[in-house]
Amino acid sequence: MPEELIKSLSTIFIVMTIFSLINYIIVSLALYKIAKKEKLNKPWLAWIPVGNAYILISLGKGNIGFVFTLVVAMFSTGLIGDIAMAIYTVYSVYMYFVICKKYNVSIIPIAIGAASLIVSMIPFLSILVIPMYLINLYGQLKLLKAADKEIIENNKNIKTKISLSNGR
């Protein structure tokens, strides 16, 4: 029986690692493309773990100080680490909301993916983490595809604004 348990846990670990790696690549690529499109300084930071938090918050025009909560969460254990991660997660979902609104992408899949962090801490709900990861991947792919399209600001297309300002 213990050997079967070890095999099952190993399989789950491998699957989660693969999903995490795919998610990291897609998120980094989406943030990188959007940062380049918006001419953000040092878009390559999207590929570095704390740097991508900086890019996300910069793109969302948020308070860069919230990167500190991620650093605290990474290097703290117990209640302090959990609280810091919860604060960062909520703030990052808000930053994604701002970015998704600008690029006309639904925040719901990304928010569901963020919720997987909380769900993974509840043993009887942890079976939902993989489907939640997949939903998050879908949302991140939508954001990545949207990075190649025109930016939406205040529900108006930038081309429309330029045309109107030129008298056309």
Side-chain angles (χ1 to χ4, degrees):
M1 180 94 165
E3 191 173 311
E4 290 177 22
L5 180 63
I6 291 171
K7 285 182 182 179
S8 295
L9 291 175
S10 297
T11 302
I12 291 170
F13 177 76
I14 291 169
V15 169
M16 290 302 295
T17 301
I18 291 168
F19 281 138
S20 295
L21 184 60
I22 292 168
N23 185 59
Y24 183 79
I25 291 168
I26 292 170
V27 168
S28 297
L29 188 58
L31 290 175
Y32 175 78
K33 281 181 120 179
I34 293 170
K36 274 189 78 171
K37 184 175 194 161
E38 296 193 15
K39 297 179 178 28
L40 213 63
N41 196 18
K42 301 177 184 168
W44 52 266
L45 285 172
W47 295 97
I48 300 171
V50 176
N52 63 12
Y54 170 81
I55 295 292
L56 174 67
I57 293 170
S58 296
L59 289 170
K61 309 264 189 271
N63 183 339
I64 296 300
F66 276 92
V67 171
F68 179 71
T69 61
L70 176 62
V71 173
V72 169
M74 290 171 64
F75 295 106
S76 298
T77 58
L79 188 60
I80 291 174
D82 291 345
I83 291 170
M85 183 52 82
I87 291 169
Y88 175 75
T89 300
V90 169
Y91 196 71
S92 68
V93 169
Y94 175 66
M95 293 293 96
Y96 269 114
F97 172 76
V98 171
I99 296 166
C100 287
K101 184 176 179 183
K102 189 172 187 177
Y103 284 87
N104 200 26
V105 173
S106 174
I107 184 65
I108 293 171
I110 294 170
I112 289 171
S116 70
L117 292 171
I118 297 164
V119 169
S120 68
M121 292 184 234
I122 304 168
F124 67 91
L125 291 179
S126 61
I127 188 110
L128 299 173
V129 171
I130 292 175
M132 292 173 84
Y133 252 68
L134 292 173
I135 293 168
N136 179 59
L137 284 174
Y138 171 77
Q140 294 291 348
L141 280 170
K142 290 294 230 180
L143 189 59
L144 177 59
K145 288 179 183 177
D148 293 328
K149 297 179 183 173
E150 295 182 43
I151 301 171
I152 305 296
E153 286 186 21
N154 299 324
N155 297 325
K156 292 184 180 177
N157 191 308
I158 289 180
K159 271 188 176 177
T160 305
K161 284 183 173 182
I162 294 170
S163 296
L164 292 174
S165 65
N166 288 337
R168 292 186 215 163

